[in-house]
Amino acid sequence: YHADRSACGPCCRYLAMVALCQHDANACCLWFLIGQFLLAALVLGGEASEDCIGTPDQPLPSDLFEGITNHCQDVQKKGDTCVEHCVNNLAATKWSYTCTTVKKTILRRRHCTCFVGPVANCGDTPQPVPPAPPAPPVPPVPCLLPNASEDYDESDCDAASHAEPPRTTCNVACSSGRYGNDSTFTCPEDNREPHRSWNGALSPCKRCDSTVRPSQNRHDVVDNCSDVQVGGTCSVTCKGQSAPHLPEQTWTCQKTGVSGCSCFTLPSGGPLQCTTNQTTTMTTTTTTTTTLTRKRGKCIAPQGIPAGQEWRYNVSDCVAGGRNSTCTVNCAIGFTGNGSMFDCFGPPFETLGKLPHCKANCSLRQRPQHEWKEKHVSDTCGYVRAGQRCSTGCAVGFRGMEEPFACLEEAGTPPMCTCFDGNMPICIVEHAPCTTIPAVPNATLSSEAEVPHLGFAEYHCRKGFTTTGNASGQTEFTLQCTDGYFANYEEVGCAAIAEPSLWPSCEINSTLQVVGLDAKECVGKRERESCRVKCAPGHYHPLPDRYSKQDAVELPSLLVCQNGNFVGTIPRCVSSTNGVREFDVYAFIDSNKSTELPTNINVFDLEGLLAHLYTDIFFFQQVLANASELSREITGKWNGTKPELPITRDEVDTVVRYRLKIKNPTTDIPAKYLVNFEFGVYANFENGSSKDFGARDLFAQAGGVVGLSQQLPGTITVNEPKPGSSWDAARCSDPRRLNTPEWQKNCHLKDVPRSDPRYVPVGRLNSFSLPGPCPNVAFGEKDAKKDTCTKLKDGRTPFTGGLCRDKTNPDGSAECTFTLEEVGRVKLDVVTGVTLQDCEGGPCRDLRDFQLHCKDSSLRRGVKIANFDRRECTEYAPAFDMRNLSFELSCHDKQVAENNLWSCYDVCNNSEASVPSLRHRCTKEDNAKRVDLLKKMFQNAAVTDAAFESQVGNDANMSSVSIIQDCDQFRQCRPDTLRGLNYCARDDSGICNYCYIPNTTGFDANRVKNIFACRKDLFSSGGYSDPSGRPSCPKPETTNSEKD
């Protein structure tokens, strides 16, 4: 999905299953097949009448009778006739056919699917058929799977059929949520019949009343069912002050799984009815009616997932739910397998089906520190269980970047992880020697041999030079080696012995004594002498972000002593921001709704907003346009079932600019949820509810952590299997196999976009998630479902989000991680250029006027207009060929897959139905112009919303966001100065990322693939001010003149 998000195309076009495709591309392929079936039904229109001469897939006379012409293919109206005759004039007879049924294709072209007429006969003489060669011996073939319902698990028989050679026996078990005896089936060893089924009879499978303990489904009961075995019973009673009709109820265990009993049945009677002060909902798989005080509106999560196995499956599609519908359960990230269909029945709206077989993609079968013991690797994976994460690092005396690992499977007693997924860290010796001795001006080395850690290199000044330039100065000095680096070697040297100058000196006045400025080099300078000033350690020269103006001052700044005063520009130096980060962010809103500062939303930087406009707002608006049987009346009323989508163009009308300040509690964020050293995982809010379960867990553990998702420009090199290879991506990425002959046979390198392939970015773009109260429930339902809202880790304190209500700056506590200040608004119609378009009667007044009355017919690719044979106008949509008479999509007469219709790396990348200001989304140069235009809109436009006119104005003079190069404070950013690796720098969007220093002493270009080089002002602006963090640069070669 991250490599090619456009794989969601088929689902979105046919079934609008966007939420499913965003999490699992394999499930999207399954829905694509279903979409093809629906497409065939749409084109062919069902079965033909009994009088048709052909079938819906072969309706033409020329499809059925050999030797006749093809004149009937252009018939498009019911009742029209066509005449056919023999092509080779073997018979003079002509035959007339009448069209009785017409259907429309997906491209709105009429197509006759039923002709009535006589049988044609052109009188061809049959040719003798040569005898067929003797058939080769038929090898044994596997039997067909037993014809079992979804109550049964046929995976063993499926594996037996695909074995080499096929097995002759297999077992059919009851599926998850059912219980009963296994059924044994057999298949003859020498079977030659391809349609023979497995021999055997299915044992009955009964339905479980619950797949978990009763108390796990209901909060008003207690049970003693934790250790019950098969055939055993346990009791359930009402909790606390409940007043039961029955004092106790007995449940029986019918089947066990890896985490205890996985199938309970209730011998008689309905579920225990308890009367409490709170509403109670029991989620079981029985059809017994339970006393409820609140109606269930949607389907519940799938039933039958074994306890402790939840991490294997992606149930996001079924959690979204729906009445009397279907959903798909897919394999989670790290597992491979096809999705499975689940059915939703109601009431009580249960979700039932057969779980998919998900195979773990294992990189290791034992702990990383055991697998890579000789590589000096250590880990925190000793007691990790399946579904949990851990990290690897370097052993004592070595250093390197940490790598995250995930445990996918466990086995044994006590359970131990047997399947890990992750990459090996690169560890180097902590205390490296100094292999390159730096040259010092006007000095010679006593020895050029390697200097050990904490050792010394000895220098001697050349004749006529001393360390101070005075005749009495020292002629010898030393430099100490620390971790492969000679500290302060730039500040030492030998000066020529000369007579004292009579020129006047420049005094260090108060201007050069400000806090944070290092002007030590200027002490004692005389007329015409120069010196450099820079920021002192712990202070930084603030840098502009990509949307701000560059400061004219470059560091270090050069000053010249003239007439007793220093002449030059003093740099601005500031202290650390104490962990508070500032960003200008933007969001699309509905101006007619609440004016309070929003939470439980996603916000974006300027280019992130532009990408969001294309890949979400316009994309989902096209999902509405392609929804089957959906139309909208001129009044705005919808006809048909409107799909629930994250956001569409109809729902937003304004762009708002905010100043966002963030300080996350980084020490409380677990390593598995930490992003870019100081952010949490991106919560991906949709309609006020987080769709990332990891973010929900993070909120409960650490509070209102602001999440980050960053997209990068350019491409990244990945390891992929070659076509036809039996290897998967996990094996191709295994560092133990890289570049081996077997790897070269099965794998190759491929460059893929770093970002969403539906938009070509100019630079780095960021998305932030801002949590608020009850982040796990959608807007409009938070009050009604407040009992289910996320709570902090004590299980009692309600989660209130991270917005600081009464503070200017966030303090990093669980309840105060960000502040938000609105600083400007612009109408979205102005941004997209709707009001500049021509409508019937003059310029378009607003979006709705544009949708209904735009004059440019090429833009009519939007939602169908009810009772009219046309569509609404849309501001932006991909434009495939409407004149193509086949059922294949194409652009510029070149065929394109449905899932690549939006891709900027396929044939439709410049085929657009767009207003002028939005054209060429796949061109970096045009996107750069749009970003600049957006910036100017917020600098110059006035607020037009009356509700905010007296409170907020677009502040053109508002101070720009500054970047402080303080990433070296993070422990993950300790550099390898010899190789130039493991450095960190804030990019021009203000986010810390790993980077490298090129051409260092031990630089290896093969180790910096897919990593960006550090920005050139990293050190001059205050980053890594400690000399131990400076890179080891090669010793310059000495010329012959210098040797002389």
Side-chain angles (χ1 to χ4, degrees):
Y1 164 73
H2 293 289
D4 189 7
R5 184 176 176 187
S6 63
C8 297
C11 308
C12 301
R13 180 168 182 83
Y14 297 114
L15 301 176
M17 296 295 294
V18 179
L20 167 65
C21 290
Q22 285 181 338
H23 300 287
D24 198 319
N26 290 331
C28 191
C29 294
L30 174 63
W31 280 106
F32 176 73
L33 296 178
I34 298 174
Q36 293 297 317
F37 172 78
L38 296 179
L39 175 61
L42 177 63
V43 172
L44 299 177
E47 299 181 359
S49 67
E50 295 181 358
D51 296 332
C52 298
I53 61 171
T55 60
D57 58 339
Q58 287 188 321
L60 296 173
S62 58
D63 295 332
L64 306 173
F65 312 126
E66 295 184 0
I68 70 171
T69 55
N70 193 21
H71 294 159
C72 293
Q73 65 175 349
D74 296 324
V75 175
Q76 299 181 13
K77 295 183 180 180
K78 183 177 179 181
D80 283 2
T81 61
C82 54
V83 177
E84 303 283 10
H85 60 82
C86 294
V87 175
N88 53 10
N89 294 320
L90 293 177
T93 307
K94 296 183 179 181
W95 297 275
S96 177
Y97 298 93
T98 303
C99 176
T100 62
T101 304
V102 174
K103 296 296 181 182
K104 290 183 179 179
T105 68
I106 192 170
L107 297 180
R108 299 177 59 82
R109 181 175 175 83
R110 294 181 179 273
H111 176 72
C112 185
T113 59
C114 178
F115 287 92
V116 176
V119 175
N121 183 5
C122 287
D124 290 343
T125 302
Q127 299 295 321
V129 180
V138 180
V141 296
C143 291
L144 299 179
L145 291 178
N147 187 18
S149 67
E150 62 182 16
D151 293 348
Y152 298 90
D153 181 1
E154 300 172 324
S155 58
D156 184 52
C157 292
D158 186 31
S161 298
H162 289 84
E164 291 293 343
R167 301 203 325 254
T168 58
T169 62
C170 68
N171 291 325
V172 175
C174 293
S175 64
S176 178
R178 306 291 192 275
Y179 70 94
N181 297 325
D182 291 355
S183 306
T184 301
F185 285 76
T186 61
C187 180
E189 184 176 0
D190 57 349
N191 176 48
R192 297 294 192 277
E193 299 181 17
H195 301 293
R196 179 187 292 238
S197 299
W198 287 84
N199 299 323
L202 292 170
S203 300
C205 288
K206 299 180 180 179
R207 191 175 182 180
C208 303
D209 290 329
S210 180
T211 57
V212 296
R213 290 169 51 192
S215 62
Q216 291 178 318
N217 275 333
R218 294 180 57 174
H219 301 295
D220 60 342
V221 300
V222 294
D223 61 47
N224 58 355
C225 301
S226 58
D227 298 322
V228 67
Q229 301 298 318
V230 174
T233 60
C234 56
S235 60
V236 180
T237 59
C238 292
K239 182 191 294 185
Q241 300 178 355
S242 301
H245 296 286
L246 298 174
E248 184 176 284
Q249 196 174 57
T250 301
W251 291 69
T252 305
C253 178
Q254 303 292 355
K255 185 167 66 175
T256 59
V258 294
S259 302
C261 186
S262 62
C263 177
F264 290 90
T265 58
L266 186 63
S268 62
L272 193 62
Q273 298 184 4
C274 301
T275 303
T276 65
N277 293 329
Q278 299 177 349
T279 60
T280 303
T281 301
M282 182 172 184
T283 305
T284 70
T285 58
T286 69
T287 58
T288 305
T289 301
T290 305
T291 300
L292 300 173
T293 62
R294 175 171 56 87
K295 293 182 178 180
R296 182 182 300 279
K298 293 184 178 180
C299 291
I300 60 177
Q303 304 298 293
I305 297 180
Q309 297 289 320
E310 298 87 351
W311 67 90
R312 286 179 175 266
Y313 308 102
N314 180 351
V315 299
S316 59
D317 182 46
C318 295
V319 171
R323 297 178 183 269
N324 298 330
S325 60
T326 61
C327 61
T328 303
V329 174
N330 302 289
C331 296
I333 296 176
F335 295 85
T336 302
N338 296 325
S340 295
M341 296 293 298
F342 273 62
D343 292 316
C344 173
F345 302 97
F349 302 106
E350 302 168 339
T351 307
L352 302 177
K354 180 180 177 181
L355 290 171
H357 177 68
C358 297
K359 180 181 179 182
N361 301 325
C362 302
S363 298
L364 300 176
R365 290 291 182 180
Q366 60 176 334
R367 286 181 61 179
Q369 70 179 29
H370 295 160
E371 178 75 16
W372 296 316
K373 183 178 180 180
E374 296 180 355
K375 301 295 185 181
H376 314 292
V377 173
S378 64
D379 62 47
T380 61
C381 305
Y383 299 98
V384 69
R385 299 284 300 275
Q388 298 178 343
R389 294 181 179 271
C390 58
S391 61
T392 61
C394 297
V396 176
F398 298 84
R399 61 183 175 183
M401 292 186 290
E402 289 187 354
E403 295 286 350
F405 270 73
C407 176
L408 303 181
E409 291 179 345
E410 62 183 28
T413 304
M416 299 294 289
C417 186
T418 59
C419 174
F420 289 93
D421 183 25
N423 297 318
M424 182 183 73
I426 305 299
C427 299
I428 62 173
V429 178
E430 179 75 17
H431 300 298
C434 295
T435 57
T436 302
I437 315 301
V440 175
N442 305 312
T444 59
L445 272 169
S446 298
S447 172
E448 295 188 359
E450 177 180 286
V451 178
H453 174 64
L454 299 182
F456 293 88
E458 297 180 354
Y459 291 83
H460 298 274
C461 291
R462 292 179 180 177
K463 185 177 181 181
F465 294 82
T466 63
T467 57
T468 62
N470 299 324
S472 59
Q474 296 181 354
T475 59
E476 297 179 354
F477 59 93
T478 60
L479 293 177
Q480 187 176 27
C481 173
T482 305
D483 287 331
Y485 179 84
F486 287 99
N488 303 322
Y489 78 90
E490 306 98 328
E491 302 178 8
V492 298
C494 298
I497 301 174
E499 293 296 328
S501 174
L502 299 178
W503 288 343
S505 62
C506 287
E507 299 295 332
I508 302 297
N509 56 24
S510 58
T511 304
L512 295 178
Q513 294 178 352
V514 296
V515 176
L517 188 66
D518 181 1
K520 293 183 296 184
E521 189 176 318
C522 295
V523 175
K525 291 297 179 181
R526 296 181 178 274
E527 184 72 14
R528 299 184 183 180
E529 291 182 336
S530 62
C531 59
R532 296 175 302 174
V533 292
K534 56 185 178 180
C535 294
H539 291 75
Y540 307 89
H541 177 56
L543 303 172
D545 69 358
R546 59 175 294 197
Y547 307 110
S548 304
K549 201 171 184 180
Q550 177 69 46
D551 194 332
V553 177
E554 295 184 2
L555 292 181
S557 181
L558 186 68
L559 302 182
V560 178
C561 180
Q562 292 182 1
N563 300 322
N565 296 310
F566 285 105
V567 177
T569 305
I570 304 297
R572 182 166 64 99
C573 299
V574 298
S575 60
S576 173
T577 58
N578 195 29
V580 178
R581 311 297 172 202
E582 290 190 29
F583 301 91
D584 279 337
V585 295
Y586 304 80
F588 294 106
I589 68 165
D590 182 352
S591 62
N592 297 317
K593 294 187 177 180
S594 173
T595 59
E596 295 182 1
L597 288 176
T599 56
N600 290 325
I601 64 166
N602 309 318
V603 294
F604 312 88
D605 64 10
L606 199 56
E607 189 176 8
L609 182 86
L610 181 61
H612 176 51
L613 180 65
Y614 284 112
T615 61
D616 289 318
I617 292 180
F618 291 148
F619 180 82
F620 289 124
Q621 190 70 20
Q622 282 304 107
V623 173
L624 286 180
N626 295 327
S628 178
E629 305 300 330
L630 181 66
S631 64
R632 180 161 52 176
E633 298 180 4
I634 293 179
T635 60
K637 179 183 177 182
W638 290 95
N639 294 334
T641 302
K642 182 183 177 184
E644 294 184 5
L645 300 173
I647 189 171
T648 63
R649 177 64 175 94
D650 298 319
E651 298 170 353
V652 291
D653 62 5
T654 304
V655 186
V656 182
R657 176 189 180 188
Y658 300 99
R659 173 59 58 88
L660 173 65
K661 296 182 180 180
I662 303 172
K663 184 178 182 180
N664 279 324
T666 54
T667 57
D668 297 332
I669 301 178
K672 62 180 179 179
Y673 297 137
L674 190 63
V675 176
N676 290 76
F677 318 120
E678 55 188 339
F679 295 93
V681 294
Y682 185 58
N684 189 21
F685 288 105
E686 292 182 6
N687 195 25
S689 173
S690 170
K691 298 305 177 183
D692 190 288
F693 289 94
R696 295 184 183 183
D697 184 45
L698 173 61
F699 296 153
Q701 294 189 47
V705 177
V706 176
L708 170 69
S709 174
Q710 185 178 55
Q711 296 190 49
L712 307 178
T715 60
I716 186 172
T717 303
V718 298
N719 301 324
E720 281 196 352
K722 292 181 178 179
S725 171
S726 60
W727 282 31
D728 55 17
R731 294 184 70 183
C732 286
S733 301
D734 188 343
R736 298 170 297 180
R737 297 186 171 96
L738 288 178
N739 297 322
T740 62
E742 190 177 18
W743 184 93
Q744 294 175 351
K745 177 182 177 182
N746 291 277
C747 307
H748 67 113
L749 298 177
K750 181 180 179 181
D751 290 336
V752 297
R754 290 177 180 267
S755 59
D756 190 325
R758 297 173 298 169
Y759 175 84
V760 176
V762 182
R764 301 169 187 245
L765 48 94
N766 302 319
S767 304
F768 303 91
S769 55
L770 307 181
C774 201
N776 58 319
V777 178
F779 291 137
E781 300 178 1
K782 296 185 185 291
D783 291 337
K785 296 183 179 181
K786 61 183 178 181
D787 292 339
T788 64
C789 291
T790 299
K791 295 179 175 58
L792 296 181
K793 55 187 174 183
D794 60 8
R796 298 183 303 274
T797 306
F799 176 81
T800 59
L803 179 62
C804 308
R805 300 291 178 179
D806 301 317
K807 297 181 180 179
T808 304
N809 292 312
D811 56 19
S813 62
E815 299 81 16
C816 181
T817 58
F818 69 92
T819 62
L820 204 62
E821 177 188 1
E822 181 176 340
V823 294
R825 291 189 172 203
V826 173
K827 286 294 184 182
L828 185 51
D829 290 350
V830 176
V831 173
T832 62
V834 163
T835 54
L836 300 178
Q837 306 307 305
D838 291 330
C839 283
E840 299 168 5
C844 299
R845 298 186 303 273
D846 52 27
L847 176 64
R848 191 57 181 157
D849 186 26
F850 167 78
Q851 290 173 334
L852 295 175
H853 306 118
C854 85
K855 287 186 176 181
D856 188 349
S857 59
S858 67
L859 300 180
R860 291 199 173 274
R861 293 176 178 261
V863 177
K864 298 175 186 175
I865 302 177
N867 304 318
F868 289 88
D869 188 19
R870 62 177 181 173
R871 291 176 174 266
E872 295 178 354
C873 291
T874 183
E875 295 151 292
Y876 186 90
F880 54 85
D881 296 336
M882 299 296 292
R883 65 182 182 278
N884 189 351
L885 300 181
S886 70
F887 300 138
E888 300 294 341
L889 287 174
S890 67
C891 292
H892 309 299
D893 297 324
K894 296 180 180 179
Q895 186 174 334
V896 62
E898 179 76 18
N899 58 335
N900 287 335
L901 185 61
W902 279 79
S903 175
C904 287
Y905 303 91
D906 213 316
V907 298
C908 291
N909 58 3
N910 64 347
S911 182
E912 303 167 305
S914 171
V915 298
S917 61
L918 297 173
R919 291 172 185 162
H920 310 306
R921 66 179 164 87
C922 294
T923 304
K924 182 169 66 173
E925 292 75 15
D926 288 278
N927 287 332
K929 295 177 182 177
R930 272 185 283 272
V931 171
D932 187 59
L933 181 61
L934 278 173
K935 181 174 66 174
K936 292 179 180 177
M937 284 183 179
F938 277 95
Q939 289 175 343
N940 302 327
V943 173
T944 57
D945 193 311
F948 285 80
E949 196 166 37
S950 61
Q951 305 174 35
V952 179
N954 282 323
D955 187 358
N957 299 316
M958 180 180 178
S959 59
S960 60
V961 174
S962 298
I963 296 174
I964 304 298
Q965 285 293 5
D966 57 354
C967 297
D968 54 350
Q969 64 178 303
F970 301 115
R971 61 180 181 82
Q972 300 95 325
C973 296
R974 295 179 59 189
D976 176 357
T977 57
L978 186 66
R979 296 177 175 84
L981 301 176
N982 218 43
Y983 282 92
C984 298
R986 291 197 184 276
D987 56 34
D988 59 4
S989 70
I991 304 299
C992 281
N993 280 286
Y994 284 116
C995 64
Y996 69 90
I997 304 295
N999 304 321
T1000 56
T1001 303
F1003 181 71
D1004 182 358
N1006 293 322
R1007 301 185 66 172
V1008 297
K1009 291 181 178 179
N1010 302 327
I1011 305 176
F1012 288 93
C1014 296
R1015 53 192 296 168
K1016 295 181 180 180
D1017 53 12
L1018 171 61
F1019 302 115
S1020 63
S1021 60
Y1024 292 93
S1025 58
D1026 190 321
S1028 63
R1030 296 302 173 97
S1032 173
C1033 297
K1035 180 180 178 181
E1037 296 183 2
T1038 304
T1039 62
N1040 292 331
S1041 60
E1042 288 177 332
K1043 291 179 181 180
D1044 296 338

